[in-house]
Amino acid sequence: MSKKNQNYTNRKQNRFQPERMRGNVFVNNSGKQWLPGENGRAAKVERLLRGVKEKKKEIAGNMAGYKDSGIEWIGAIPEGWDIIRIGYAFCLRSEKNYLPKDKVQLLSLYTGVGVFPTGSENTKASGNHAQTVIGYKIVHKNDIVVNIILAWMGAIGESNYDGVVSPAYDVYIPDLLKIVPHYAHYVFRTDGIAGECFKYGRGIMLMRWRTYSSEFKQIKIPFPPLPEQQRIADFLDTKCGILDRTIDAVSRQIEDLEKYKKALITKTVTKGICKKGEAKRKMKDSGVEWIGDVPEEWSVKRLKYVLASIRNGAPAAAVEYSSELPRYVRITDIDDNGRLKETGKQSLPEDIAKRYMLDKEAVLIASVGSLGKTMLFNPDTEKEKCAFAGYLIEAVTNPEAMNSKFLFYFIKSNAYMDWANRNFVQTTIQNLSAGRHKNLPVTVPPLAEQQQIADYLDEKCKNIDNRVQKRRQQLEWLKEYKKSLIFDYVTGKKRVEE
């Protein structure tokens, strides 16, 4: 690797480390204060957003030049277009592979994008662990690959590679004299096709809802003349390329902001607040590798010495939600910002709930799976009575030793995650019981400073969360716009000029 590339790699790896912070702000290479999303890239994203907001061209009021397709999800189509069944332009490929695993390229379908080699960045897969690929289905470039089980969720796409896929897929050969494969790829990415796959599918439960080839080939799709199919595919490649780059940029901004927030919390709960212009604080070794140095007047104690109580939650005995019963608070009920969601509520029977009621301010900590997920529960501000689930831990602080909000932020820090990754018990999923949490080393500043840190992080995190929310709204708009753009052109609502 060249020195230039190595330096770039090093900068990328260290980008969000607390050492890059001066005081409690990040700095760029010029020493100027920097916040993810407040740079040239953010401005570029805004320009791209403005650039892709194309005005919808409505079809003339009398629908001149259009006819009814007879298919509800397609609606009206241009006079020169037809409607065909998929089986008219595609046939099922029946070839099977008889070569060893090291002689073929294994492919996977990445929903909404296409077919790529397994383990590639696009598939976000770690690789195939099957001992053999004998009997797998052969795929050639431009074939359409359908996940039989997940077709109703949009798992259909064109392959740009030769290779093999597992028996969970069907492979379709396009008739190139009738259809442009890449046009079909865009048609198959519409919600209408996903809905038809569900309609024509069959099974016992949703995750086993299969769309077999006999049914899939009966689904009807819009069918423009061949030259127009090619123009639509080329046009959408260009437009969707712009949108995909914009979506990727916004996604990276969200990721950057989340990393920045985590690093800011870590820096503050382990080093304190150090504002610009203030003298550097005297530090001492904490004696804990993953905490490092701490301010001289701070101490580090095991969690059990700053708590009034700690316990595991209720067994899995949830019932249908009722406002008459206590709410059953699970890990999945807590959002990324440590607040209770208003959806998917369940209740707990009164006789069980009474032993696990959340009746005092407590830090709820995930003990299984989603390690690091936490919330500060305050019964005075919640709208309903709550009891907590077995995969959560209730930690009630001793008010003379630890501020509960400070502990909440410590659990959200990288210092906590470093400890968790060293101490969890691996069964089928990661597990950290209340008993193990008692020995968690936590920083203990003076109580007054704990409150200052909690207030400071409340303000900073709110600002970051607002930025993240704005980016998420942009992301949703971009994804919806992309879907509507594809639908409008593959169904003829908008036309590509010759």
Side-chain angles (χ1 to χ4, degrees):
M1 182 183 292
S2 69
K3 185 175 180 181
K4 180 179 179 182
N5 289 339
Q6 183 63 57
N7 288 339
Y8 170 77
T9 302
N10 291 341
R11 288 197 305 272
K12 188 174 181 181
Q13 289 174 346
N14 295 324
R15 187 173 182 180
F16 297 100
Q17 298 304 313
E19 302 83 65
R20 281 290 316 280
M21 299 177 74
R22 292 184 186 170
N24 289 77
V25 297
F26 283 106
V27 293
N28 60 21
N29 292 331
S30 303
K32 294 181 179 179
Q33 183 174 340
W34 173 77
L35 179 68
E38 286 190 340
N39 51 22
R41 191 173 71 189
K44 183 178 180 182
V45 169
E46 293 295 339
R47 288 197 297 273
L48 284 170
L49 277 170
R50 288 194 297 271
V52 298
K53 285 183 179 178
E54 177 184 327
K55 287 185 178 180
K56 269 190 170 292
K57 300 175 183 176
E58 295 184 0
I59 301 170
N62 60 2
M63 300 295 287
Y66 282 79
K67 62 185 179 182
D68 183 13
S69 68
I71 309 297
E72 184 178 355
W73 75 268
I74 296 175
I77 57 173
E79 287 285 359
W81 291 30
D82 289 319
I83 295 294
I84 61 165
R85 296 186 187 277
I86 290 173
Y88 172 77
F90 292 91
C91 66
L92 194 64
R93 185 181 291 281
S94 57
E95 301 169 75
K96 291 187 178 180
N97 171 62
Y98 295 101
L99 295 175
K101 190 174 178 180
D102 60 346
K103 298 295 183 182
V104 295
Q105 181 165 236
L106 184 67
L107 306 175
S108 292
L109 178 63
Y110 183 35
T111 303
V113 178
V115 181
F116 294 91
T118 297
S120 70
E121 182 179 350
N122 297 88
T123 59
K124 301 185 184 300
S126 58
N128 178 260
H129 303 290
Q131 296 299 310
T132 179
V133 293
I134 302 297
Y136 275 39
K137 297 178 180 180
I138 289 177
V139 177
H140 290 305
K141 186 176 180 181
N142 298 133
D143 283 354
I144 297 297
V145 178
V146 179
N147 186 315
I148 300 169
I149 300 173
L150 299 178
W152 66 277
M153 295 180 67
I156 308 172
E158 177 191 13
S159 178
N160 291 317
Y161 304 89
D162 293 330
V164 299
V165 292
S166 82
Y169 296 97
D170 274 338
V171 181
Y172 293 89
I173 308 168
D175 184 339
L176 300 181
L177 296 177
K178 296 176 180 175
I179 199 156
V180 174
H182 207 49
Y183 165 77
H185 170 76
Y186 282 115
V187 173
F188 293 145
R189 289 174 67 178
T190 60
D191 287 343
I193 290 294
E196 292 294 285
C197 286
F198 183 81
K199 174 183 171 182
Y200 281 88
R202 45 196 161 100
I204 301 172
M205 53 186 180
L206 287 183
M207 294 312 293
R208 293 294 172 188
W209 196 259
R210 300 171 185 269
T211 309
Y212 294 101
S213 59
S214 55
E215 288 86 12
F216 183 75
K217 289 192 289 185
Q218 297 304 310
I219 295 172
K220 294 180 179 180
I221 60 174
F223 187 60
L226 205 60
E228 189 164 4
Q229 291 181 34
Q230 188 63 59
R231 289 199 301 274
I232 292 170
D234 293 343
F235 175 83
L236 288 175
D237 276 349
T238 301
K239 288 291 185 180
C240 290
I242 295 171
L243 285 168
D244 287 340
R245 289 191 294 274
T246 309
I247 287 169
D248 184 57
V250 175
S251 298
R252 286 199 307 272
Q253 286 187 355
I254 292 171
E255 184 182 343
D256 286 355
L257 283 162
E258 295 288 5
K259 288 181 179 178
Y260 170 74
K261 177 181 173 182
K262 178 77 81 172
L264 176 65
I265 290 171
T266 304
K267 172 83 172 183
T268 309
V269 299
T270 60
K271 315 299 177 192
I273 302 170
C274 182
K275 296 181 179 178
K276 187 176 180 181
E278 289 184 351
K280 209 169 183 181
R281 299 182 74 164
K282 291 184 179 181
M283 310 293 281
K284 66 179 181 183
D285 184 9
S286 69
V288 180
E289 179 187 349
W290 54 90
I291 292 178
D293 291 345
V294 297
E296 200 170 47
E297 61 273 27
W298 290 22
S299 61
V300 175
K301 297 180 180 179
R302 292 186 184 183
L303 183 61
K304 61 185 176 182
Y305 296 121
V306 297
L307 294 181
S309 66
I310 183 169
R311 57 177 179 155
N312 293 311
V319 296
E320 186 178 349
Y321 177 74
S322 167
S323 58
E324 303 299 317
L325 294 174
R327 179 176 177 177
Y328 187 52
V329 177
R330 303 155 296 172
I331 294 172
T332 52
D333 293 329
I334 301 172
D335 68 20
D336 293 336
N337 294 319
R339 291 186 288 266
L340 281 181
K341 299 175 184 176
E342 289 300 315
T343 56
K345 293 182 181 182
Q346 287 187 309
S347 289
L348 201 60
E350 199 77 58
D351 59 329
I352 299 176
K354 64 184 179 183
R355 301 194 295 275
Y356 300 97
M357 292 301 296
L358 290 164
D359 54 7
K360 55 180 76 69
E361 185 170 275
V363 179
L364 296 181
I365 307 168
S367 64
V368 175
S370 303
L371 299 182
K373 180 169 273 193
T374 181
M375 79 168 291
L376 182 61
F377 186 90
N378 188 337
D380 296 331
T381 58
E382 292 303 325
K383 299 175 183 177
E384 53 197 339
K385 291 183 178 180
C386 296
F388 65 108
Y391 291 152
L392 286 171
I393 296 167
E394 178 201 61
V396 179
T397 60
N398 177 351
E400 295 181 0
M402 177 67 71
N403 180 295
S404 55
K405 179 66 76 70
F406 179 86
L407 177 59
F408 163 77
Y409 279 119
F410 188 89
I411 301 298
K412 291 175 75 71
S413 74
N414 288 323
Y416 171 81
M417 287 307 301
D418 285 345
W419 171 82
N421 288 329
R422 286 171 166 84
N423 287 275
F424 69 81
V425 176
Q426 183 71 61
T427 51
T428 52
I429 50 178
Q430 297 172 340
N431 188 312
L432 271 171
S433 66
R436 285 183 173 266
H437 273 84
K438 288 180 181 180
N439 292 316
L440 164 69
V442 293
T443 53
V444 186
L447 277 171
E449 189 173 357
Q450 290 183 36
Q451 185 63 57
Q452 289 173 357
I453 288 172
D455 293 342
Y456 173 84
L457 288 175
D458 278 348
E459 180 184 350
K460 291 291 184 180
C461 291
K462 182 179 179 181
N463 179 271
I464 296 169
D465 291 342
N466 287 340
R467 294 176 185 277
V468 169
Q469 180 62 23
K470 180 181 177 182
R471 299 293 183 271
R472 291 195 193 283
Q473 288 171 349
Q474 289 179 343
L475 203 57
E476 287 306 307
W477 182 89
L478 285 164
K479 289 177 179 179
E480 286 302 316
Y481 176 79
K482 180 180 173 182
K483 286 167 65 174
S484 69
L485 187 76
I486 291 172
F487 173 81
D488 286 346
Y489 280 95
V490 300
T491 61
K493 305 301 183 294
K494 293 181 181 178
R495 309 291 295 275
V496 181
E497 300 298 330
E498 293 186 39

